[in-house]
Amino acid sequence: MFAKVEGSLKELLGEGYVRSLKECGVRLLGADPDEMDRLLNETVDFFPEEFEKSMDDELDAVGTQVVTPFENKMDGAATDSFQGAAHTCMSPIGGKGIYRVGEDGKLYLAAKSEHYHASLGHNYPGFRLVENAKKAGVMNATHNNTRGYITRVLEQELIRVANGIKKGDGKGLEAVLRSESPHVLSRVINLETGSLGVEAGAKMMLARFYGMDESFSTPKYEGKMPVFFVMGDHEGGVSANYHGTTVLMQTLRGLWPGLYEKAKKAGLYEVVPLRINDIRDLRSKMDFYNRGNKKVAGFFHEIVLMNYGAITLDVDYLKEAYELCRANDVPVLADEIQSCIWYKELYLFRDYGLRPDFVVIGKGFSGGEYPASKILTTKEMDNLNQFGALVTNGQEELASLSYLVVMKFALENAKETQAVGRHYRERADKLAAEFPGLIARIEGIGHLMAIHFRDADDAVRFAKHLNDKCIDVSAQGYKSVFLPAVLTKLPLIATAKTVDFIADKMRGALLKLN
């Protein structure tokens, strides 16, 4: 049972802010004062007991037709690649919690959190606060120069949690915000997507090699060729990492090879893959690429490589890697776009006891309500001007409010969600033990989980069996460089009964394959 979480706009944002908001609404919008008071003071139950119960009650309906199909021939105007991948029968008509109703009228279970970002499912009750804020006149659109109060509150809350500071410890938070010590996260840049967040980190790394414009002082490593370390695949390539869809980030995973090779040949930058969880490989490459005219510019890593079968980096490996990077003046970027919000302290790097120089978050923090990603960094790496990583709409106020709502629920329910995550892993491990001829191993942590099959065809057939029963999973059998994997990422509001339902359906699929 999830803990009861309640809150009002007044409680989240403070009396002074809501008083000013009320005056503005009455004066400019002609709002009724009593209605404004209701909106600003209404205590909202973030996840009512009856809502949670309805999640379990609907499980038996998954895969059945629950509403009349929406018959249509609307193809839109997508590109060929998007059109070829479309499954409009699954496109949403409506949803509630962990469920989505497709255009075919069937009830689907969002076992991947709608491709990893709907952390609290659909029509989450806690977002009533966002609706109240809209009705009270909170404006979403702001600019970098006029970051709103809600966004500024969020920035400090992100820094507080990232540094493990207790709620209400104003002195502790102020000390961190003023800190100039290395590896202390104290800065936030508000962006729209994770791709831009990671690229902002790359820009700050590159600023130590190249001046952004003539106003910048001589970079620390001017004249050196920057080398980026990324997690490599099992064949020594770079396809295991995924840090976004900008051109620079795509070259880190092997795309645009012609462009990249010209850049490398010209000495602009180089990308070097690291063997997963192999500290000797990292030591060797750190030594090799810090010689002559080259310098390691940064180490990019996820903790759970969801684009590579949810393979998980070991705690000991990362701790040693961070020590090695510190000794060689190499900043570390922890890409938590996939893992953020799903773990005990919201950031998985906190569970690992790490101190990265950059942390990129998004997706789950806003609960899928808004495209709102952030990069957290340190005073030391705060080396760009305002236009170095600028996004006009990056600091939307309602997006920031959705972050605060999600964070409140996740922090107050960490014990329950971690228990569900452990239960999910236990059920998966039992499947692996029961079907050793089919399953090679289980990867991931908690809700982020992948089943690695011994055979690609079995992985594809397993995923198809579950998809046919309207349970969202995805197979990575198209990747030839490693064992085929089937991925899931359950919403945080999934219950133990949800886990058992999915695990039982998985067992049924495995029995058909065996």
Side-chain angles (χ1 to χ4, degrees), residues 44-117:
V44 171
D45 188 338
F46 283 27
F47 196 60
E49 185 176 339
E50 60 270 19
F51 193 97
E52 178 181 352
K53 184 177 183 299
S54 71
M55 296 299 94
D56 290 344
D57 291 345
E58 290 284 4
L59 283 169
D60 289 339
V62 171
T64 68
Q65 187 174 313
V66 294
V67 302
T68 303
F70 171 46
E71 304 289 350
N72 70 93
K73 296 182 179 180
M74 173 57 68
D75 287 334
T79 61
D80 291 345
S81 59
F82 278 87
Q83 197 65 37
H87 299 283
T88 55
C89 63
M90 301 167 62
S91 297
I93 290 294
K96 178 182 180 181
I98 61 176
Y99 303 109
R100 174 184 75 251
V101 176
E103 291 185 13
D104 59 6
K106 293 182 179 180
L107 188 68
Y108 289 82
L109 199 162
K112 290 195 307 175
S113 297
E114 305 298 15
H115 208 73
Y116 314 144
H117 62 281

Side-chain angles (χ1 to χ4, degrees), residues 203-400:
K203 290 176 182 177
M204 287 182 257
M205 294 175 185
L206 287 172
R208 306 205 303 166
F209 294 80
Y210 303 107
M212 184 177 168
D213 61 35
E214 65 280 356
S215 69
F216 282 69
S217 58
T218 302
K220 184 175 185 178
Y221 294 111
E222 185 177 53
K224 297 278 188 179
M225 180 180 180
V227 178
F228 295 130
F229 281 178
V230 298
M231 300 316 302
D233 57 51
H234 291 332
E235 293 188 348
V238 294
S239 67
N241 78 89
Y242 187 98
H243 297 297
T245 56
T246 62
V247 173
L248 177 59
M249 291 301 101
Q250 286 184 333
T251 64
L252 265 58
R253 60 186 174 107
L255 302 183
W256 306 102
L259 174 67
Y260 167 68
E261 288 301 327
K262 286 187 176 181
K264 177 182 174 182
K265 186 176 181 180
L268 297 181
Y269 70 99
E270 187 171 353
V271 179
V272 174
L274 303 174
R275 293 176 185 165
I276 295 174
N277 291 324
D278 187 338
I279 196 64
R280 289 181 297 179
D281 178 63
L282 175 54
R283 289 185 185 280
S284 173
K285 289 173 178 173
M286 185 71 77
D287 181 60
F288 182 83
Y289 288 100
N290 272 330
R291 297 177 181 175
N293 72 328
K294 294 184 179 181
K295 172 72 178 74
V296 181
F299 171 37
F300 294 76
H301 76 88
E302 298 169 276
I303 298 178
V304 181
L305 282 66
M306 286 300 285
N307 198 54
Y308 200 57
I311 290 176
T312 306
L313 298 189
D314 295 337
V315 173
D316 291 342
Y317 169 77
L318 280 176
K319 286 186 174 180
E320 290 189 55
Y322 274 53
E323 290 177 4
L324 191 58
C325 287
R326 298 290 180 257
N328 288 274
D329 192 24
V330 175
V332 180
L333 186 148
D335 183 345
E336 291 234 27
I337 290 295
Q338 294 284 12
S339 55
C340 66
I341 213 71
W342 260 267
Y343 296 101
K344 182 174 61 177
E345 295 187 69
L346 308 189
Y347 308 94
L348 187 52
F349 80 83
R350 291 282 308 166
D351 285 9
Y352 269 54
L354 303 174
R355 296 183 65 194
D357 301 283
F358 304 95
V359 178
V360 183
I361 60 173
K363 286 190 187 293
F365 260 100
S366 62
E369 291 296 289
Y370 295 91
S373 294
K374 319 283 179 182
I375 182 167
L376 284 61
T377 190
T378 66
K379 168 64 176 176
E380 181 182 22
M381 298 307 302
D382 184 3
N383 58 14
L384 297 178
N385 63 25
Q386 184 183 3
F387 297 97
L390 177 140
V391 176
T392 301
N393 294 328
Q395 49 286 312
E396 295 176 331
E397 286 284 83
L398 294 175
S400 296

Side-chain angles (χ1 to χ4, degrees), residues 7 11 74 81 100 110 130 156 175 181 252 255 339 409 424 427 436 447 491 511:
E11 290 169 338
M74 173 57 68
S81 59
R100 174 184 75 251
V130 179
Q156 293 200 0
S181 299
L252 265 58
L255 302 183
S339 55
F409 176 84
Y424 193 32
R427 290 298 308 266
H447 295 63
L511 285 170

Side-chain angles (χ1 to χ4, degrees), residues 15 93 150 164 173 180 184 199 274 320 324 340 368 370 372 384 408 434 466:
E15 184 174 354
I93 290 294
I150 301 176
L173 177 57
E180 297 190 7
V184 176
E199 178 145 310
L274 303 174
E320 290 189 55
L324 191 58
C340 66
Y370 295 91
L384 297 178
K408 181 175 174 64
E434 185 178 358
L466 292 176

